[in-house]
Amino acid sequence: MAALGVARSSCGLLNGLRTSFRSFSQVKHGAAAGTVTQCSQQNHCRWYSVSHLSVKERIDNKRKAALVGGGQHRIDAQHKRGKLTARERVELLLDPESFVESDMFVEHRCSDFGMEHDKNKFPGDSVVTGRGRINGRLVYVFSQDFTVFGGSLSGAHAQKICKIMDQAMTVGAPVIGLNDSGGARIQEGVESLAGYADIFLRNVLASGVVPQISLIMGPCAGGAVYSPALTDFTFMVKDTSYLFITGPDVVKSVTNEDVTQEELGGAKTHTTVSGVAHRAFENDIDALLNLREFFNFLPLCNKDPAPIRECHDPSDRLVPFLDTIVPFETTKAYDMVDIIHAIVDERDFFEIMPNYAKNIVVGFARMNGRTVGIVGNQPKVASGCLDINSSVKGARFVRFCDAFNIPIITFVDVPGFLPGTAQEYGGIIRHGAKLLYAFAEATVPKITIITRKAYGGAYDVMSSKHLRGDVNYAWPSAEVAVMGAKGAVQIIFRGKENQAEAEAEYVEKFANPFPAAVRGFVDDIIEPATTRKKICRDLEVLASKKQTNPWKKHANIPL
Amino acid sequence: MASRGRCPSLNRLLFTAKYVTLQSRLCVLHRRAQYSTVYSPNDKTFDKILVANRGEIACRVMKTCKKMGIRTVAVHSDVDSSAVHVKMADEAVCVGPAPTSKSYLNMDAIMEAIRSTGAQAVHPGYGFLSENKEFAKRLAAEGVTFIGPDTHAIHAMGDKIESKLIAKAAKVNTIPGFDGVVKTAEDAVTIAQSIGYPVMIKASAGGGGKGMRIAWNDEETRDGFRFSSQEAASSFGDDRLLIEKYIDNPRHIEIQVLADKHGNALWLNERECSIQRRNQKVVEEAPSTFLDPVTRKAMGEQAVQLAKAVKYSSAGTVEFLVDSSKNFYFLEMNTRLQVEHPITECITGVDLVEQMIRVAKGYQLQHKQEEIPINGWAIESRVYAEDPYKSFGLPSIGRLSQYQEPLNLRNVRVDSGIQEGSDISIYYDPMISKLVTYGATRAEALALMEDALDNYVIRGVTHNIPLLREIITHPRFVSGDISTGFLPEVYPEGFKGHQLDRGRCQELLASAAALYVTAELRSHRVLGPQRVTCSPVESSSWELCVELGNELHNVSVTKSGNTFTVLVDEEKVDVSGDWNLASPLLPLTINNTHRMFQCLSRTASGEMVLQFLGTSFKVRVLTKLGAQLNSYMPEKVPEDTTSILRSPMPGTVIAVSVKAGDTVAEGQEICVIEAMKMQNSLTAVRPAKVKSVHCKPGETVGEGDLLVELE
């Protein structure tokens, strides 16, 4: 786990930084504090001199020092980059006055490379931790402070994070990490690495127990990236956040590629190309306010049901819009997001990964106030087919919902899995299996609506009746079949004449919801306009659904 | 903008108490305003009528057919197969693919539909085949009744040149000008010069404003000739043109006539249609504020003379231009039902479609001239799917994700052919509906129109309600001081939306803040059993910052019950309402005045788009802390738009006049986009060299698509 250039350069800067906190003298915070000689003298006598300050004053001074982190000019520099400070972020994220800080007095324990000097000690070190409330609901938060050693991770820093994660686990409340760190505290060496591992372990143990969310608000590089990667959701801030294993310099020296930080690991890269991050926001404020909104959707832990918020949208609202949304020509696309908006409460849909694997749409919404997870094929992109990326995207989302008791509503319009060497060589078989696996193992309420095509294996995958779908509906435009008419006819009537006639016969027989409905594979064929009403009613009943999978140490999803 | 402290129900109460006679008159008005809804079945007409049109007019015709007990047949293109007019009809026949030339203008297919359904008569609506004599002839040949005038009248009036000669002969005032067919651009220039500028150039065969252009000099005459002949060819299949003297600052007032096959003819008063953009009508009213009874009678009588001169039968409209001294000139006669016919129905109580059907069957007119009243006042706003901020309206397309007509209001009539979920496509006219309000007085009808526009929910497409509402509340319009040049005169810089005065601005800010607090408080209301108690911060006052335009306003909000007391920049505003966060309409009472807001969008980061007084305003509500920290957020630089040309609307590329490497001058045409049968020339905003061209003729482009890049 190499700490990278960012960390190195920021630490270098910090070596020259004269800001220090000293409990024995009243030096203005942020001002240059005398010469090195003076420093070392004071340091030398620190433990032995009798303070003329009372303990209470010392506490106050420490607290004040903790509040300004790396000092005013570091704060100004942070602002100049268009970034907020760790504390400002926490304040904006949480309800006013709700933040309860812990470990404000913790300092790093490194004594090498001059780190033991007072000027290099900052109360609270490079992270702010504690708990608070978002719209009254409990949450644990850590916010890395870039103004202190570039937010680099020391043993103490890691220890602070671990402490609140442990607490979050004992009470059952989510953990939000606001990442803004140059990487490992190189001066601390292995202690820093150990710190990362301690956090990783807790990320893994907490996975599926309490929701974990990472918001990347600055650099996050080297080994540090694995903590966000292990959490349930990773959000980024456009232009000011980066995630990568090794920075552009190392990339250049190893692979000789010329790449900028933004191209290598910026928000755009991770939300469109790599699929590492789930969503990107314009700036710190946008990101934090959206995170508050997002948090409202989540239960506090896996013991809680999906939260229900007061709802003004009538649960029996008819949606005539849906009656005409599916075009008559089966080859013509429409936007699945339009359907989702029309059905859910107040058109409020928090889409996850909106710019990655766009042929599947996933996200959170509410039905009659209750949080639901929505999965839908997107006919507008690549005909809504399933491929490697969309399968993985869908699978991860479904598993999150299942872990946290969030009902899943699936809208199906899928022509099948994407063919081709790129897909086969890339392992579509094992990746496609993930989505199948996720839907099959999920025990939360599952409601499926087939809007149009449900062809082949992809039909089975998309929360079909056969995978324990609780309620499966078909719209009149639904076609459940092994494949499209043309392909089917070419196989059934290979070499025969009258292909067109045969095709028409096939369409007549199979391009409608009846073959599935007569077998009970869909529970009902419904008028699209009534979809919202029906889903709300079903969810009411399914709220008490109890289903358990056979005992196992853990399942073995095809990774 | 007048602040009308009106409470409709209270007003109605006062009416009943004080003006019993007026109230009873209003009842009559209300019943008769649309048109008589009771039909006497004594006069048997047809069993089955085919409506050869789409959209609102097809629905309008079918409504009357249903009233008269006549079965209806709809024709439709394939993309229209789930359209409202198709659902409304008893039978429906698909007559071809989306382009009008292959479906709604496809006479062979329509004739086949008539034969297969056994329809006895055809109502053509307006546009399409309504003034096509060839169609009328083919119907006659098969013994099917054409619900409209006889072929000779269509022929006589359909040709702008012949119609003028006939009008002259019938002693109808005509515009000085040149009557003749124009063959080339140079001919056009010669003719224009001989008439004297300005001149108007239009298609001989076309009605309405389509294909009509005004030229002030030789250059514009050549342009006008080129565009008009192209449009004429694409819309009517007939590229003949007409050039005549253009009367500056005129009013467009038209007379509705109704005639039978027995030589009887009536005039049903006038319609004032002066509010136009690019020669297409936007707001119409009946009667006109401008006409006195003498002028009205003179115009009516001339219109009837003309109708009689061409042995006209059925409903028709004689259009006049009226100058400031009330001289009126015959413009043209439309031998069909007009778009704006509902306002005439409102003030006269005559169902024009019913009369057309009766007349077509051969019955005599039911009314005498002296029985035609002017009851109250009616205003019609044409609600279009178009962006009024771009030259008073460039077409927009999309699917109506939410749609709610203001039919909850009394005395409102909405003629529409769409519903929630309908797709407004590039193939057809982008009209959403005709919104008609009527009242005992003009002021009443106008006030009602304001309410109706405020209560109209249209989501998914850009619409022109901002413009409509500004027009009907503009002092010049309210006082009746209008002309066909109204829009460019009132908005010389283009339409910019409602300009908020201080008071209205505070109302907007206060409402946004109150809405924000409502949403915040709702987030606290988590229902169901909780393992960890939800304990939101209990507070009854909020310190906020609201951003509107580039200005930040300090706002503090206190709440008691459903009422918020908001201090906006130290001034107190009381806002109350039922605060339903799901409803598209947000009725509020602000300082005891009723206001209708619409919340178009609300994001987690505090941004809201609120529709207020017709116009959408973007505001951002942040807490004090949020606003303070927001000042550190960097401004993101938007893309430089002067060097790229994007399509302002969805449509088809007709011509690309440049290629990469060309040098263009400012104002030079770069390409032409056709949408909804309108050709729009896109020009360079600055002199530049063309870097790359991203479109080619015949290609379909979406709004915002990159067309050409300049260096």
Side-chain angles (χ1 to χ4, degrees):
Chain A
M1 272 179 260
L4 59 145
V6 187
R8 216 168 277 139
S9 65
S10 45
C11 288
L13 275 171
L14 282 161
N15 288 338
L17 177 65
R18 313 310 303 262
T19 314
S20 67
F21 172 79
R22 278 160 301 171
S23 47
F24 297 91
S25 62
Q26 288 168 310
V27 174
K28 242 186 173 176
H29 302 300
T35 63
V36 177
T37 342
Q38 277 173 322
C39 271
S40 53
Q41 276 169 355
Q42 278 162 355
N43 186 44
H44 181 248
C45 58
R46 185 166 75 136
W47 300 105
Y48 311 106
S49 73
V50 178
S51 168
H52 61 276
L53 292 174
S54 69
V55 171
K56 187 173 181 320
E57 281 171 307
R58 283 164 60 194
I59 293 171
D60 286 348
N61 284 340
K62 281 256 183 200
R63 279 198 198 279
K64 271 189 211 151
L67 292 181
V68 292
Q72 192 57 46
H73 78 273
R74 296 250 106 208
I75 291 175
D76 293 343
Q78 179 84 346
H79 286 161
K80 217 163 264 155
R81 284 187 205 104
K83 289 157 67 178
L84 300 180
T85 66
R87 286 179 186 280
E88 287 165 344
R89 286 165 176 168
V90 169
E91 219 180 328
L92 205 57
L93 174 66
L94 301 177
D95 293 347
E97 317 286 313
S98 73
F99 183 50
V100 180
E101 186 168 350
S102 56
D103 291 341
M104 214 179 192
F105 299 102
V106 165
E107 292 175 2
H108 73 75
R109 298 175 294 267
C110 178
S111 54
D112 298 319
F113 311 111
M115 289 295 281
E116 70 278 19
H117 291 175
D118 258 3
K119 69 178 168 84
N120 286 333
K121 294 246 171 163
F122 298 85
D125 205 18
S126 51
V127 66
V128 177
T129 60
R131 65 162 201 265
R133 302 264 171 177
I134 293 179
N135 289 311
R137 303 172 70 231
L138 183 64
V139 63
Y140 283 81
V141 183
F142 69 87
S143 175
Q144 295 179 316
D145 188 349
F146 197 77
T147 67
V148 178
F149 298 112
S152 60
L153 188 128
S154 63
H157 177 136
Q159 183 195 331
K160 282 182 73 174
I161 294 177
C162 290
K163 189 193 265 182
I164 61 134
M165 290 183 75
D166 290 343
Q167 252 191 45
M169 287 284 280
T170 56
V171 299
V175 179
I176 294 180
L178 308 178
N179 298 64
D180 188 0
S181 161
R185 181 86 47 92
I186 296 167
Q187 293 89 333
E188 293 201 5
V190 73
E191 179 142 13
S192 174
L193 298 185
Y196 276 125
D198 290 341
I199 297 171
F200 298 157
L201 174 68
R202 279 163 181 79
N203 283 139
V204 172
L205 294 180
S207 179
V209 180
V210 295
Q212 303 179 78
I213 306 162
S214 304
L215 175 53
I216 316 299
M217 310 187 83
C220 179
V225 296
Y226 285 110
S227 177
L230 289 167
T231 60
D232 299 302
F233 295 99
T234 304
F235 299 123
M236 293 182 80
V237 179
K238 287 182 193 167
D239 304 325
T240 46
S241 72
Y242 310 101
L243 271 168
F244 37 64
I245 298 281
T246 51
D249 295 346
V250 180
V251 169
K252 174 76 182 164
S253 67
V254 176
T255 66
N256 207 25
E257 288 169 292
D258 275 312
V259 67
T260 63
Q261 283 198 6
E262 182 63 34
E263 287 163 0
L264 185 62
K268 195 171 173 201
T269 302
H270 286 311
T271 52
T272 60
V273 181
S274 73
V276 165
H278 295 85
R279 219 162 133 171
F281 301 102
E282 280 310 313
N283 55 41
D284 279 16
I285 305 241
D286 248 27
L288 293 164
L289 294 177
N290 273 286
L291 188 48
R292 278 178 68 85
E293 182 85 356
F294 176 67
F295 187 79
N296 293 344
F297 286 101
L298 307 180
L300 297 187
C301 85
N302 62 357
K303 291 196 226 44
D304 292 343
I308 306 174
R309 190 181 74 174
E310 181 186 284
C311 170
H312 296 175
D313 204 349
S315 64
D316 58 355
R317 173 168 59 87
L318 291 179
V319 195
F321 172 79
L322 299 176
D323 285 334
T324 51
I325 180 89
V326 178
F328 276 79
E329 306 92 316
T330 53
T331 49
K332 220 176 140 193
Y334 59 94
D335 193 346
M336 191 57 92
V337 177
D338 286 345
I339 293 186
I340 297 168
H341 278 145
I343 287 179
V344 302
D345 288 359
E346 297 169 28
R347 310 183 67 77
D348 183 9
F349 176 55
F350 192 99
E351 194 173 346
I352 299 293
M353 301 178 115
N355 294 315
Y356 177 78
K358 292 200 254 186
N359 39 349
I360 199 164
V361 178
V362 300
F364 296 100
R366 294 184 182 84
M367 293 299 282
N368 201 16
R370 186 193 315 265
T371 298
V372 293
I374 308 256
V375 180
N377 306 111
Q378 173 58 288
K380 227 177 74 174
V381 181
S383 308
C385 71
L386 288 175
D387 58 8
I388 293 172
N389 291 347
S390 60
S391 299
V392 174
K393 171 179 165 183
R396 182 151 171 80
F397 181 76
V398 167
R399 296 195 93 213
F400 176 84
C401 292
D402 185 44
F404 292 100
N405 314 314
I406 299 171
I408 300 163
I409 298 171
T410 309
F411 293 96
V412 184
D413 186 349
V414 64
F417 281 97
L418 181 65
T421 49
Q423 289 291 313
E424 296 291 357
Y425 295 171
I428 180 67
I429 297 175
R430 85 193 143 88
H431 294 296
K434 290 176 187 173
L435 185 58
L436 171 63
Y437 193 104
F439 270 123
E441 76 171 337
T443 55
V444 290
K446 290 185 283 194
I447 299 175
T448 308
I449 296 97
I450 302 174
T451 60
R452 190 165 64 180
K453 291 172 208 160
Y455 287 168
Y459 152 72
D460 282 341
V461 169
M462 293 303 294
S463 195
S464 63
K465 198 79 198 162
H466 326 287
L467 302 182
R468 303 190 293 186
D470 293 296
V471 183
N472 294 57
Y473 290 124
W475 282 3
S477 46
E479 320 170 0
V480 184
V482 176
M483 58 175 72
K486 206 166 194 150
V489 167
Q490 276 168 7
I491 295 167
I492 304 174
F493 303 98
R494 192 188 296 273
K496 294 211 176 121
E497 281 166 31
N498 287 338
Q499 294 265 324
E501 206 175 285
E503 200 177 311
E505 190 192 338
Y506 188 90
V507 167
E508 177 70 26
K509 262 201 177 128
F510 294 111
N512 59 58
F514 295 117
V518 295
R519 289 165 177 82
F521 298 162
V522 296
D523 300 294
D524 199 0
I525 303 170
I526 61 170
E527 282 306 313
T530 62
T531 309
R532 171 178 166 82
K533 190 174 135 185
K534 294 218 148 85
I535 295 176
C536 286
R537 211 182 47 192
D538 294 333
L539 285 173
E540 210 62 53
V541 173
L542 290 169
S544 59
K545 177 183 176 186
K546 284 265 178 303
Q547 191 169 44
T548 40
N549 290 330
W551 186 91
K552 50 188 98 174
K553 184 176 174 198
H554 65 70
N556 187 16
I557 188 165
L559 292 173
Chain B
M1 185 32 262
S3 63
R4 290 179 300 105
R6 283 185 321 101
C7 164
S9 57
L10 186 68
N11 260 6
R12 221 161 275 147
L13 207 66
L14 286 173
F15 261 126
T16 345
K18 286 187 184 168
Y19 310 108
V20 179
T21 46
L22 178 60
Q23 180 65 32
S24 56
R25 208 186 118 206
L26 269 176
C27 284
V28 174
L29 177 70
H30 180 57
R31 184 169 52 76
R32 300 184 64 180
Q34 296 214 5
Y35 39 76
S36 56
T37 47
V38 188
Y39 167 71
S40 86
N42 300 337
D43 298 342
K44 173 111 184 49
T45 53
F46 304 99
D47 298 323
K48 193 187 269 186
I49 290 178
L50 181 139
V51 183
N53 214 305
R54 67 180 299 280
E56 67 88 14
I57 194 62
C59 297
R60 161 71 191 89
V61 171
M62 286 180 201
K63 232 174 249 171
T64 289
C65 290
K66 282 194 192 303
K67 180 182 80 177
M68 297 172 75
I70 302 168
R71 292 177 59 77
T72 51
V73 180
V75 292
H76 62 89
S77 66
D78 53 7
V79 293
D80 270 347
S81 47
S82 58
V84 177
H85 78 277
V86 174
K87 290 182 190 159
M88 206 170 153
D90 297 305
E91 291 169 64
V93 180
C94 181
V95 288
T100 51
S101 58
K102 291 178 181 156
S103 50
Y104 295 101
L105 290 171
N106 181 348
M107 276 189 244
D108 292 337
I110 292 173
M111 291 311 295
E112 184 49 44
I114 294 166
R115 273 182 289 244
S116 69
T117 57
Q120 298 158 335
V122 171
H123 197 299
Y126 55 73
F128 294 139
L129 299 170
S130 61
E131 289 167 290
N132 187 312
K133 52 184 189 285
E134 173 67 18
F135 182 58
K137 253 185 222 159
R138 285 182 69 169
L139 288 175
E142 303 218 3
V144 177
T145 310
F146 178 75
I147 302 174
D150 294 335
T151 323
H152 67 86
I154 299 178
H155 178 78
M157 293 292 106
D159 191 301
K160 300 294 177 288
I161 299 151
E162 199 183 328
S163 73
K164 268 188 153 180
L165 296 173
I166 296 170
K168 247 182 206 164
K171 299 203 168 55
V172 176
N173 307 349
T174 52
I175 305 176
F178 177 89
D179 297 347
V181 177
V182 188
K183 288 213 169 64
T184 67
E186 288 319 307
D187 283 356
V189 170
T190 320
I191 294 164
Q193 282 169 347
S194 73
I195 297 170
Y197 287 110
V199 295
M200 186 175 69
I201 305 168
K202 66 186 290 180
S204 287
K210 277 169 184 165
M212 181 151 98
R213 277 189 157 74
I214 295 151
W216 297 79
N217 55 43
D218 293 355
E219 190 51 40
E220 288 177 7
T221 306
R222 283 186 203 103
D223 282 356
F225 173 81
R226 187 158 56 88
F227 273 107
S228 298
S229 52
Q230 273 171 15
E231 274 186 14
S234 72
S235 295
F236 310 106
D238 178 351
D239 57 0
R240 288 178 309 147
L241 295 180
L242 169 75
I243 303 177
E244 61 187 18
K245 175 79 177 175
Y246 173 65
I247 297 175
D248 206 7
N249 219 26
R251 280 170 183 261
H252 178 123
I253 298 176
E254 59 191 27
I255 300 285
Q256 175 72 51
V257 294
L258 189 59
D260 62 21
K261 295 181 197 276
H262 307 279
N264 305 309
L266 294 172
W267 49 274
L268 287 83
N269 303 314
E270 77 280 10
R271 292 187 288 257
E272 163 77 76
C273 311
S274 296
I275 305 291
Q276 308 185 343
R277 52 122 178 80
R278 299 195 304 271
N279 290 312
Q280 273 185 284
K281 296 160 192 167
V282 184
V283 174
E284 299 107 337
E285 61 183 311
S288 165
T289 54
F290 192 59
L291 293 194
D292 50 60
V294 178
T295 317
R296 176 175 298 128
K297 189 156 184 264
M299 288 171 75
E301 281 171 354
Q302 285 201 7
V304 165
Q305 279 166 31
L306 179 63
K308 286 184 172 167
V310 289
K311 296 199 173 59
Y312 196 85
S313 67
S314 192
T317 298
V318 182
E319 295 188 343
F320 291 99
L321 282 185
V322 183
D323 69 16
S324 47
S325 339
K326 294 187 185 164
N327 297 315
F328 55 91
Y329 304 100
F330 169 73
L331 196 59
E332 61 180 31
M333 181 169 187
N334 295 315
T335 57
R336 54 172 156 85
L337 190 63
Q338 292 276 92
V339 176
E340 58 276 21
H341 75 273
I343 51 175
T344 297
E345 297 186 327
C346 285
I347 61 161
T348 61
V350 176
D351 180 341
L352 288 170
V353 175
E354 181 189 330
Q355 298 308 318
M356 287 175 85
I357 295 172
R358 289 187 77 257
V359 166
K361 185 67 186 177
Y363 289 107
Q364 296 220 2
L365 292 181
Q366 282 177 316
H367 307 86
K368 300 220 159 18
Q369 186 62 54
E370 55 275 18
E371 291 169 9
I372 302 299
I374 299 184
N375 267 338
W377 214 284
I379 318 253
E380 175 180 280
S381 293
R382 294 197 192 182
V383 182
Y384 276 104
E386 56 184 25
D387 183 350
Y389 297 95
K390 295 178 188 163
S391 32
F392 301 116
L394 284 188
S396 92
I397 56 164
R399 187 178 288 276
L400 290 165
S401 55
Q402 279 176 295
Y403 182 74
Q404 199 175 303
E405 293 172 352
L407 294 171
N408 53 325
L409 301 173
R410 270 167 59 105
N411 291 353
V412 170
R413 167 175 169 179
V414 185
D415 279 24
S416 69
I418 44 123
Q419 61 187 7
E420 190 172 302
S422 290
D423 200 16
I424 294 182
S425 69
I426 57 166
Y427 300 113
Y428 311 112
D429 192 75
M431 187 156 80
I432 294 173
S433 78
K434 303 182 305 205
L435 176 62
V436 181
T437 61
Y438 41 96
T441 62
R442 185 170 187 261
E444 204 177 292
L446 279 176
L448 188 54
M449 182 59 83
E450 274 182 56
D451 275 358
L453 289 169
D454 285 345
N455 277 277
Y456 207 143
V457 178
I458 303 169
R459 305 286 155 78
V461 294
T462 313
H463 54 75
N464 66 339
I465 283 182
L467 176 64
L468 294 171
R469 202 182 185 288
E470 281 306 287
I471 292 172
I472 59 132
T473 53
H474 194 277
R476 263 190 67 182
F477 183 84
V478 172
S479 70
D481 172 22
I482 53 175
S483 74
T484 52
F486 180 84
L487 287 178
E489 284 162 24
V490 171
Y491 307 106
E493 308 279 296
F495 179 64
K496 301 264 189 280
H498 183 82
Q499 304 301 310
L500 293 170
D501 62 21
R502 192 177 147 75
R504 259 29 70 203
C505 181
Q506 285 177 348
E507 289 183 16
L508 174 67
L509 297 171
S511 307
L515 187 62
Y516 173 87
V517 172
T518 304
E520 281 292 294
L521 287 176
R522 198 268 299 265
S523 302
H524 296 170
R525 289 198 278 277
V526 182
L527 313 175
Q530 283 149 37
R531 192 179 45 81
V532 182
T533 335
C534 175
S535 59
V537 184
E538 299 294 338
S539 75
S540 56
S541 76
W542 294 264
E543 292 298 317
L544 304 171
C545 234
V546 187
E547 193 181 326
L548 172 66
N550 286 325
E551 281 177 42
L552 277 178
H553 302 265
N554 287 322
V555 173
S556 64
V557 183
T558 51
K559 180 177 191 271
S560 77
N562 275 342
T563 303
F564 292 89
T565 303
V566 188
L567 279 180
V568 183
D569 300 328
E570 308 303 316
E571 275 184 62
K572 187 170 152 267
V573 184
D574 280 327
V575 190
S576 60
D578 65 357
W579 303 108
N580 184 317
L581 290 168
S583 163
L585 292 173
L586 194 64
L588 299 178
T589 306
I590 305 179
N591 294 339
N592 297 318
T593 304
H594 177 77
R595 296 285 188 202
M596 183 58 80
F597 279 74
Q598 294 193 24
C599 182
L600 306 185
S601 73
R602 197 157 45 79
T603 70
S605 43
E607 281 149 354
M608 289 180 199
V609 181
L610 294 176
Q611 184 180 316
F612 177 44
L613 303 169
T615 295
S616 301
F617 295 95
K618 205 172 158 188
V619 295
R620 186 173 192 194
V621 187
L622 287 171
T623 57
K624 268 266 160 66
L625 175 73
Q628 180 213 326
L629 296 179
N630 198 39
S631 60
Y632 298 125
M633 294 299 107
E635 290 243 353
K636 308 244 160 149
V637 192
E639 177 181 51
D640 173 22
T641 49
T642 59
S643 61
I644 47 179
L645 185 70
R646 292 185 181 279
S647 175
M649 69 209 140
T652 315
V653 180
I654 294 296
V656 182
S657 324
V658 296
K659 56 184 189 300
D662 285 2
T663 310
V664 290
E666 184 182 332
Q668 189 181 329
E669 179 183 289
I670 291 179
C671 61
V672 181
I673 304 281
E674 187 186 79
M676 278 92 172
K677 296 188 276 177
M678 282 291 303
Q679 291 195 357
N680 299 273
S681 166
L682 306 182
T683 54
V685 288
R686 60 178 174 84
K689 201 170 168 193
V690 178
K691 190 174 167 193
S692 55
V693 177
H694 298 270
C695 60
K696 50 180 184 287
E699 212 169 62
T700 312
V701 290
E703 181 177 343
D705 280 5
L706 180 63
L707 299 175
V708 170
E709 261 183 287
L710 303 177
E711 265 172 21

